[in-house]
Structures are given as C-alpha cells and as structure tokens.
Amino acid sequence: MARKKLYFEDVKEGDELPSFTAANLTRTDFVKYAGSSGDFNPIHHDQTFAETAGNPTVFAMGMMNAGILSRLVADYAGIENVRKYRVRFATRVWPGDSVTCKGKVTKKTVENGEKIIEGEIAALNQKGEVAIQGSFRAALPSRG
Amino acid sequence: MTQESLITDEIRSWIGHETPPWTIEASRLDIKRFAVATDDPNPLYLDEEHAKQSPYGGLIAPPLFYMAPLTNPVSETELRPDGLPYEGKFPIPPTPLPRLMDGGTEIEFFAPIRAGDTITGRCKITDIYQKEGRSGPLIFVVRESTYTNQNGEIVLIEKGAAILR
C-alpha cells in the first residue's frame, strides 16, 4: 500500500497524475460523508427536503467530491509535500454518478531552493462533465 | 455596472467581522471515518502500525479533514431554505438573497493534523462584493480561516467564498 516516493527529477511538465474513479456514488456514500463531516444538511440525504428546495433529488456535498479529488494529489505527490489545493465547483454529483479524478503537471520550478510542481486537477462525471476543477502545488524532494 | 447594489452599509460593515475561535480535537476515529467516507485507503490515515513506522510516527488526517469537525450540527428547525445553518462557522451577513452556494476554496498547508491534535479555527470575512449572475444578482462573501494546533503552529489557511443568490 505504501506509495512510491516521487522525486522532483522524475516529473516532467505534462505528466499525468494516475487517475482513478469513485464508481457509482450512492445515497449511502452521502450519508457516510454527512456522519464523518458533521454536514447534516438534509438537502444531501432527504428526498422530500431536496425536492422542496427545487432539486430533482439529493446530491453529493461539494466537499465530499473535493475530498475524493484530494486523494489524487496526496497519492501522487505525497501528503507531506502538498502545499496548496484549490477547488471550484461546477456541476453537481447525483446518486448513481461515477466521479473520475484526473490531473496533470503544468509547471516545474525552483523557488527559494524549493523544488515546486504545480498542476491542474479535475473531477468528471460519467458524461465527462466537470464536477470540480482545481489546481495544486507541491514541494518535492530531490535525488540530488 | 448599472445594477442596483444590494450591499448596504450594514452588510459592508461585516467586512473584517471575525467569528469567535472554535476548538476541536482530531481523534483517531474521526480521521478514520473521514478517510473511509472520502474513499481514501491511504494507510497514513487508517493503519496505526503503518503510520507509526512513517516519519509522522502516528496517524495523520487527510488534506480536507479540517472540514469535518468544522460544521456545527444544528437542529433542522434552525436551517435556512437551502438546508444550511444560519449560524455556521463561516459568518454570513443577512441579505435579501436566500440561497447559498459554495464558491470554491483554496487551502494552503503548513503542517499535518495528527491524531490527538487540538485544532483551533478562526474565520474572518475579508471582502463582500456583488456580481450579476445569469439568474440575478449574486453576493460574494469572501473569508479566510486559519487553523492552528495546540503548539500554536498554523496547520492550514483556507480562503473561500460563499455565494448568495
């Protein structure tokens, strides 16, 4: 389970982060996130409430999707190296949706002696629509 | 910008408004639950033996764990029409716009949150402005939250916006 350590020298601009899919998210997943996060907004688990608020059904918490997407960055760069994580929410995630997390390195630079990589990340639903768009920044160890 | 401004002096006076600090403990159970709920099998969050052998010497929290204990559960009678509490950790001034959307967030990490840490959060409104959206006016409430651990170290700073529509 231990991840392979990523060194600055191993990274090229344009490299893709190993993508993964959280398949078939269900109401149970939303409820698990509610319980673990304390976000008990009924719009995410109560059909009647969600409809009254003008939604066809319940939908996932944005921060749940952002949490799933954060794994992409922590698995790639190592959680100890992640410096910045930015997300913006686009389309919502509904029960039965699958969320694919992907990203790529857009910049490699040395700042004040720190070996920095930056990249773009996204969580897409099964139709390819963007649920979350974001970016990250990490400081990597060097082989040198 | 010819639209009418919904931002009254009273709303504008919320810029600089700070919530009272809140303190939570990051328990091993909280961390494990959050990792499972975000479908994250990283053994640094879940496997105490593995985490003990790591440079951290014990379980740490996933990057977005700080959100977990942030929300203060309230009774359902105290919710807005959009299901959010009126008095969350993020201060929102009263405006004529009833619905609230998350305008995204940027988190800067300085130190890990470790199992057993006591984390104190503070949140301040840094800006309030209006924009015209497709369905009408939007008010952006921009905030900055700082989280420190029991040693006074900053663990992370979160900058985000709530959008009222």
Side-chain angles (χ1 to χ4, degrees):
Chain A
M1 279 296 290
R3 55 171 283 280
K4 204 171 131 261
K5 197 167 177 177
L6 183 72
Y7 291 95
F8 186 67
E9 290 79 6
D10 302 335
V11 179
K12 293 188 308 295
E13 287 178 6
D15 279 359
E16 289 189 9
L17 280 59
S19 79
F20 63 87
T21 299
N24 186 26
L25 294 171
T26 63
R27 290 167 175 82
T28 302
D29 291 311
F30 306 168
V31 168
K32 275 159 68 181
Y33 184 81
S36 81
S37 70
D39 181 351
F40 296 134
N41 184 341
I43 214 162
H44 300 300
H45 62 256
D46 181 330
Q47 180 74 25
T48 311
F49 189 97
E51 285 176 7
T52 306
N55 304 288
T57 184
V58 299
F59 56 92
M61 301 78 162
M63 287 309 284
M64 170 178 150
N65 305 328
I68 292 171
L69 180 61
S70 73
R71 179 181 143 202
L72 182 77
V73 177
D75 280 359
Y76 177 68
I79 183 174
E80 66 279 15
N81 300 320
V82 178
R83 295 296 170 84
K84 211 177 249 190
Y85 179 73
R86 200 172 134 258
V87 286
R88 203 172 52 77
F89 302 99
T91 193
R92 285 181 286 181
V93 171
W94 304 96
D97 280 359
S98 293
V99 170
T100 296
C101 300
K102 52 208 288 190
K104 68 172 181 205
V105 177
T106 54
K107 193 176 170 190
K108 227 185 127 173
T109 171
V110 179
E111 282 176 29
N112 304 320
E114 279 202 315
K115 312 277 199 293
I116 302 286
I117 60 167
E118 291 178 354
E120 291 165 358
I121 49 175
L124 310 167
N125 68 15
Q126 65 282 1
K127 296 179 209 154
E129 296 162 341
V130 175
I132 299 183
Q133 198 146 39
S135 61
F136 74 95
R137 178 183 168 91
L140 294 183
S142 172
R143 288 189 194 280
Chain B
M1 298 288 265
T2 51
Q3 76 206 47
E4 188 191 349
S5 177
L6 297 173
I7 300 179
T8 59
D9 286 346
E10 207 238 302
I11 294 176
R12 194 170 293 105
S13 75
W14 279 64
I15 298 173
H17 176 84
E18 213 164 323
T19 52
W22 67 96
T23 297
I24 55 102
E25 271 172 50
S27 79
R28 285 178 297 182
L29 183 59
D30 291 336
I31 289 174
K32 288 181 183 180
R33 280 186 173 152
F34 189 85
V36 169
T38 50
D39 199 19
D40 195 331
N42 191 329
L44 287 171
Y45 318 143
L46 293 166
D47 180 342
E48 293 183 39
E49 277 315 306
H50 173 95
K52 236 179 249 175
Q53 308 300 321
S54 79
Y56 293 109
L59 292 181
I60 58 165
L64 296 200
F65 171 80
Y66 75 96
M67 279 301 292
L70 191 104
T71 317
N72 225 0
V74 297
S75 114
E76 282 194 24
T77 54
E78 293 170 54
L79 297 174
R80 302 157 43 103
D82 54 15
L84 287 161
Y86 283 95
E87 288 291 334
K89 291 298 184 195
F90 300 151
I92 303 290
T95 73
L97 306 177
R99 291 183 195 281
L100 193 145
M101 295 187 300
D102 192 323
T105 190
E106 177 182 297
I107 308 146
E108 204 171 345
F109 300 97
F110 299 97
I113 295 179
R114 297 165 190 277
D117 275 359
T118 300
I119 304 293
T120 298
R122 288 177 179 79
C123 182
K124 187 162 105 172
I125 293 182
T126 53
D127 197 10
I128 297 175
Y129 60 89
Q130 183 175 337
K131 265 189 178 177
E132 201 57 32
R134 257 173 296 176
S135 59
L138 306 170
I139 294 179
F140 287 70
V141 181
V142 187
R143 62 171 186 268
E144 181 174 312
S145 306
T146 304
Y147 295 79
T148 49
N149 64 19
Q150 65 280 5
N151 304 319
E153 285 175 284
I154 293 178
V155 294
L156 67 94
I157 293 177
E158 185 259 357
K159 292 178 188 168
I163 305 172
L164 293 148
R165 68 182 167 95

